[in-house]
Amino acid sequence: MNSPESVSDEGRTLTSRGYRITVDDGRDSFFAICLEDPDSDTAWIMSDTVRSVEDMQ
């Protein structure tokens, strides 16, 4: 396990990508989002619990 680094957020940006992932030979699909620091190969997080704002109201 890596120890967390202390890094200033000033001037840093994250990139994000959305995915529609299809499984079971196309019978089911779900959405996922990935947030990552483009300057680091190890600073990223992916979530498959993406919901639209309308669904959360």
Side-chain angles (χ1 to χ4, degrees):
M1 184 167 118
N2 293 334
S3 299
E5 297 177 29
S6 176
V7 179
S8 169
D9 288 336
E10 188 175 324
R12 296 185 72 154
T13 59
L14 298 176
T15 59
S16 63
R17 286 187 245 180
Y19 299 91
R20 181 174 182 169
I21 300 169
T22 303
V23 294
D24 293 333
D25 294 323
R27 290 187 295 267
D28 196 12
S29 65
F30 60 94
F31 296 96
I33 189 169
C34 182
L35 302 173
E36 51 194 310
D37 181 344
D39 297 327
S40 173
D41 290 336
T42 59
W44 58 272
I45 187 168
M46 184 173 235
S47 173
D48 64 351
T49 56
V50 177
R51 304 192 73 178
S52 70
V53 173
E54 293 83 14
D55 289 342
M56 296 177 70
Q57 295 179 355

